[in-house]
Every structure is written in structure tokens, then in C-alpha cells.
Amino acid sequence: MAAPQLNRMLERFARAARSHHNALESLDEVAANRQATVLAHLAAGILQERGDGVAGLVTLTREPDPVVAGMAAVYLLPSERDLALAVLRRVADEPGLIGFRARGAIDRLEKGEWDGEPHSSP
């Protein structure tokens, strides 16, 4: 995949992460599920690029927006577990639903109740 196409997918991933979070905040289950599907498809396409795709998601974990950073971390758990956990720990300090969900993901991972695959994301 050409770099511009990967960059567009990463931008769409960031927008979908924000839309997913907004839907969760507004208790819109239909929109949240739709955005979760979009995120899964985008992440699959991004990660098909192996090194470049992983590097792109790693870049998103540095975003100041904890919603984007946290979602990128979730999709990096299978391949970059230590980095992803560090990001989730940072996001867990955030107030509100985003911090609560990150703390829940960390707890489930530490208890072995979640395999870190996005299909069972927090």
C-alpha cells in the first residue's frame, strides 16, 4: 500500500475512534457498534502493511487525544503488548468513560480474562 493510502486509513481510524467514543458517551449502541466495525476493518487494512501499519498505529498512540491513543493501543496489543499496556495505563488516568474503559481493559488483561484481541475489546 502506498504511504498516502496508509495515511488516509490512519486518519480515518482516528476519526472512527472519536466517533465510536462519542456514540458510547451518548449511549447510542447502534452507532457505537457501527463504528466498532469500521475500526476493525480499518485496523485490519492498516495491519496488513505489517511494519508500516504497526508503525502507523504506534504513531497514533502518541496522539494527545486519549480516545485515539487508547484505540490504537487496543489494536496493538497482540503485537506490541508492552507499549499498548503503557498507553492504556496513561489513558486509564483520564476522567470519565475513557479512563474507566482503559482501567477495565488493563484489569481484564492482568487477570487473564482478555486475550488482547480487539474482538473482545473493552
Side-chain angles (χ1 to χ4, degrees), residues 15-40 71:
R15 283 193 309 271
R18 289 182 193 104
S19 295
H20 179 256
H21 177 74
N22 291 339
L24 289 172
E25 287 280 339
S26 65
L27 303 176
D28 185 344
E29 184 178 346
V30 172
N33 287 339
R34 184 176 359 159
Q35 291 305 316
T37 300
V38 169
L39 284 163
M71 190 60 74

Side-chain angles (χ1 to χ4, degrees), residues 1-2 7 14 17 28 33-34 43 55 59 67 77 103 114 122:
M1 176 182 317
N7 288 337
D28 185 344
N33 287 339
R34 184 176 359 159
T59 299
V67 169
L77 276 167
R103 286 188 300 276
W114 183 36

Side-chain angles (χ1 to χ4, degrees), residues 9-91:
M9 289 179 72
L10 290 164
E11 289 169 8
R12 288 179 58 208
F13 182 92
R15 283 193 309 271
R18 289 182 193 104
S19 295
H20 179 256
H21 177 74
N22 291 339
L24 289 172
E25 287 280 339
S26 65
L27 303 176
D28 185 344
E29 184 178 346
V30 172
N33 287 339
R34 184 176 359 159
Q35 291 305 316
T37 300
V38 169
L39 284 163
H41 288 294
L42 286 167
I46 291 166
L47 291 171
Q48 277 184 328
E49 293 305 304
R50 306 233 189 265
D52 289 343
V54 169
L57 286 178
V58 166
T59 299
L60 290 182
T61 66
R62 297 185 198 114
E63 283 285 318
D65 183 345
V67 169
V68 174
M71 190 60 74
V74 165
Y75 281 94
L76 284 170
L77 276 167
S79 62
E80 301 289 331
R81 188 176 180 96
D82 291 341
L83 169 68
L85 276 170
V87 172
L88 288 173
R89 286 187 178 102
R90 185 182 81 225
V91 173

Side-chain angles (χ1 to χ4, degrees), residues 98-112:
I98 187 70
F100 175 78
R101 289 174 54 87
R103 286 188 300 276
I106 293 165
D107 288 345
R108 288 172 57 201
L109 281 162
E110 288 175 347
K111 291 178 183 175

